[in-house]
Amino acid sequence: MPSLPNQEQKGVANGIEEEPIALDENVLQKHAAFFDMNKDGIIYPWETFQGLRDIGCGILLSVGGAIFINLGLSQSTRPGKFLSPLFPIEIKNIQLGKHGSDTGVYDTQGRFVPSKFEEIFTKHAHTHPNTLTYEELKEMIKVNREPKDFKGRIGSLVEWELLYKLGKDKSGLLQKETIRAVYDGSLFELLKKEHSRDKTK
C-alpha cells in the first residue's frame, strides 16, 4: 500500500490531492459518494458491488458487501418511506445510517471529529505511534463495543476488517494516513487507481 501524505499537510500522493478535512462538512457523504456510480445521490446494490470491485475486493466479498451494506443502510437513510425492494441508499441522509460501537470520528451530522481520530492512536497504537497492528485494531474494535448493539458490532467489525485487508502496508500495519483517508473517501480513489494499474500489468 503506497504511503499517503501527512494529515497535517496539503499534498499530492499518487496523483491525488489531499485537502484538509473541513470540520463543518459532512465528510460521511463524501465517503459514501464514491459508490454512487452515476452521481444521482442514490447508491443501489449493484453500484456498491462495482465500487467494492473497483477498490480491489473479490467477487464474493463484493456481493456479500453490497448485500450487507445496502440492506443495513437503505431504510435508515430513507426516513418516512416504504421499504424498497431495490434497497437504495440516499447519500443526503447517510448520517442517519451511522451505527453504534464505532470510534466516534464521525459525529451524528457526519462531520469529522479530529479529537476522536487522534484517540484511535493515543489509546491503541502501542507499538508505533502512527500505526495500528492487527492486534491493536482488534483491541480498538473490542473497546468500542456497546452493550446489546449487535448491528453496530457487526458493522464495525466488517468495516475495519475490510480496511485492514485493503489498506495494510507490507509490514502488516495500518498507517494513520490510510485511516484518515478512508474517513473522507480519498482512500477509495487511491485504491481504485492502484487496482486499475495492477490489472493492466
Side-chain angles (χ1 to χ4, degrees):
M1 178 69 197
S3 61
L4 298 172
N6 185 284
Q7 67 162 358
E8 300 299 330
Q9 301 173 346
K10 177 181 176 181
V12 176
N14 299 292
I16 295 179
E17 185 173 335
E18 179 184 310
E19 298 285 350
I21 296 179
L23 302 185
D24 60 345
E25 184 179 21
N26 188 327
V27 291
L28 185 54
Q29 289 184 0
K30 290 177 65 177
H31 169 98
F34 171 81
F35 297 91
D36 182 12
M37 297 296 157
N38 61 0
K39 306 305 176 189
D40 64 352
I42 300 173
I43 305 170
Y44 291 98
W46 51 91
E47 293 179 294
T48 306
F49 170 83
Q50 185 59 56
L52 291 171
R53 292 289 289 149
D54 286 347
I55 62 176
C57 295
I59 292 177
L60 289 179
L61 180 57
S62 298
V63 170
I67 293 171
F68 177 81
I69 291 168
N70 282 75
L71 260 64
L73 294 178
S74 180
Q75 199 57 27
S76 59
T77 62
R78 303 173 67 248
K81 297 180 180 179
F82 290 111
L83 179 68
S84 168
L86 298 179
F87 297 103
I89 296 170
E90 293 189 4
I91 295 178
K92 67 180 181 179
N93 298 319
I94 193 65
Q95 68 275 5
L96 299 178
K98 183 177 176 293
H99 61 72
S101 299
D102 66 354
T103 59
V105 176
Y106 291 129
D107 69 9
T108 56
Q109 301 302 311
R111 298 171 299 201
F112 182 77
V113 183
S115 60
K116 289 293 185 181
F117 177 73
E118 293 299 329
E119 275 185 15
I120 292 174
F121 303 92
T122 57
K123 290 184 176 181
H124 306 291
H126 310 301
T127 309
H128 307 286
N130 293 317
T131 66
L132 292 179
T133 66
Y134 184 62
E135 291 302 316
E136 290 165 351
L137 184 67
K138 289 198 299 183
E139 172 195 277
M140 182 193 72
I141 295 170
K142 184 176 180 180
V143 167
N144 287 333
R145 289 175 182 168
E146 297 174 6
K148 300 180 181 179
D149 179 28
F150 181 73
K151 181 180 178 181
R153 289 184 180 192
I154 294 296
S156 181
L157 178 63
V158 170
E159 290 167 358
W160 284 104
E161 288 280 354
L162 180 60
L163 175 58
Y164 182 79
K165 172 181 169 57
L166 297 174
K168 65 183 177 182
D169 64 18
K170 293 180 180 179
S171 299
L173 300 172
L174 203 52
Q175 298 286 337
K176 187 175 188 177
E177 291 87 354
T178 303
I179 297 174
R180 186 255 187 214
V182 81
Y183 279 107
D184 69 0
S186 60
L187 180 64
F188 298 142
E189 292 294 344
L190 178 59
L191 289 172
K192 181 178 179 179
K193 285 191 175 184
E194 286 294 305
H195 183 59
S196 177
R197 186 158 55 237
D198 289 343
K199 287 196 297 185
T200 59
K201 289 182 179 178

